[in-house]
């Protein structure tokens, strides 16, 4: 059930945006960061120029600044996240998780990769309730991760679900995240978490300016 005012489908939203009037300089440029489903790039009409960008470059720059930058492993919570991002992160060791059914429950398991002794950074395009990320954090901690952090491009967090994420204050990754990086694509979230650990905001301003060549 969609909330009143929500656009029902990505296709509908794409068609709406495709009706932006052509300017004197030609079709309007539309910059989209980490589109959720890759097939959605084909939903746009000819009257706009969609530019598909990624926030991963911001994450990679931030990881290089960490004191343990040589001990980073990237974890993907499912195959979809791996397909979306692995090419941009292929110089890091990787872990791929998936959900398996155990009775009535769906449990996150490590499908491949080794977390032991590593600072593991979970990477995905967006977070809503955060349940999968937390389950992924727990299983990485059980498998010996020294630290667990997370990155998502779009921190949506409906109903203040960001409150679920606690900082690791030295008690270990089973208790909290060392870092949770999000971009400023969702301003309401930024206002809510900007001074709250473990969150850290990575600005899209530079990549947007570069994409638009301004």
């Amino acid at each position: 059930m969609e909330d009143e005012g929500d656009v029902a489908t990505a296709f509908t939203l794409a068609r709406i945006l495709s009706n932006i009037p052509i300017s004197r300089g030609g079709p309007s440029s539309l910059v989209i960061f980490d589109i959720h489903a890759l097939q959605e790039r084909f939903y746009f009409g000819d009257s706009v120029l969609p530019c598909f960008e990624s926030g991963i470059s911001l994450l990679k720059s931030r990881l290089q600044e960490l004191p343990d930058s040589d001990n980073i492993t990237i974890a993907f919570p499912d195959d979809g996240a791996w397909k979306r991002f692995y090419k941009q992160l292929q110089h890091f060791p990787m872990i791929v998780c998936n959900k398996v059914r155990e009775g009535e429950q769906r449990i996150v398991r490590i499908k491949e990769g080794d977390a032991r002794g590593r600072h593991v950074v979970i990477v995905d395009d967006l977070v809503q309730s955060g349940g999968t990320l937390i389950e992924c954090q727990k299983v990485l901690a059980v498998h010996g991760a020294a630290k667990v952090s997370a990155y998502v491009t779009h921190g949506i967090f409906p109903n203040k679900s960001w409150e679920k994420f606690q900082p690791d204050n030295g008690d270990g990754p089973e208790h909290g995240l060392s870092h949770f990086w999000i971009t400023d694509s969702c301003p309401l979230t930024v206002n809510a978490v900007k001074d709250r650990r473990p969150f850290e905001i990575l600005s899209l301003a530079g990549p947007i300016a570069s994409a638009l060549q301004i």
Side-chain angles (χ1 to χ4, degrees):
M1 183 71 180
E2 297 286 333
D3 292 334
E4 185 176 353
D6 281 357
V7 177
T9 67
F11 180 78
T12 303
L13 177 59
R15 301 314 298 171
I16 292 171
L17 293 173
S18 295
N19 285 316
I20 296 172
I22 293 178
S23 68
R24 187 164 62 178
S28 298
S29 295
L30 183 65
V31 182
I32 301 172
F33 281 84
D34 294 317
I35 194 166
H36 184 56
L38 297 179
Q39 69 269 21
E40 292 171 7
R41 65 183 60 215
F42 302 113
Y43 292 174
F44 295 90
D46 295 334
S47 59
V48 295
L49 292 175
C51 305
F52 299 102
E53 302 292 335
S54 178
I56 293 296
S57 61
L58 297 174
L59 172 65
K60 291 198 290 188
S61 295
R62 185 67 184 91
L63 293 180
Q64 290 174 357
E65 298 170 356
L66 298 180
D68 57 353
S69 59
D70 60 346
N71 193 42
I72 300 293
T73 290
I74 301 297
F76 301 106
D78 52 40
D79 286 331
W82 176 81
K83 290 176 183 177
R84 189 177 293 112
F85 294 125
Y86 81 93
K87 287 184 179 178
Q88 298 179 72
L89 295 163
Q90 57 189 341
H91 58 291
F92 290 100
M94 293 184 183
I95 294 169
V96 181
C97 300
N98 63 358
K99 287 183 179 179
V100 296
R101 185 174 294 280
E102 289 191 358
E104 296 300 312
Q105 290 185 304
R106 288 180 66 82
I107 308 295
V108 173
R109 293 279 186 256
I110 291 180
K111 180 180 175 183
E112 59 184 81
D114 188 357
R116 285 176 295 180
R118 306 289 291 181
H119 181 176
V120 183
V121 180
I122 307 167
V123 173
D124 209 347
D125 63 327
L126 61 84
V127 60
Q128 297 204 68
S129 70
T132 298
L133 273 181
I134 288 175
E135 290 302 312
C136 196
Q137 171 195 342
K138 289 178 180 177
V139 74
L140 292 167
V142 168
H143 282 79
K147 298 179 182 177
V148 176
S149 295
Y151 164 86
V152 298
T153 303
H154 308 294
I156 301 170
F157 296 115
N159 302 315
K160 297 184 178 180
S161 57
W162 45 265
E163 292 179 339
K164 297 178 181 178
F165 294 94
Q166 300 300 317
D168 179 357
N169 292 316
D171 297 323
E174 65 272 23
H175 298 288
L177 296 174
S178 294
H179 305 274
F180 196 149
W181 295 287
I182 62 173
T183 76
D184 50 1
S185 67
C186 300
L188 292 177
T189 298
V190 170
N191 290 337
V193 306
K194 60 184 178 182
D195 297 316
R196 178 188 175 95
R197 293 184 58 234
F199 292 98
E200 182 179 332
I201 312 301
L202 305 177
S203 176
L204 290 173
I208 291 172
S210 295
L212 295 176
Q213 298 180 341
I214 57 175

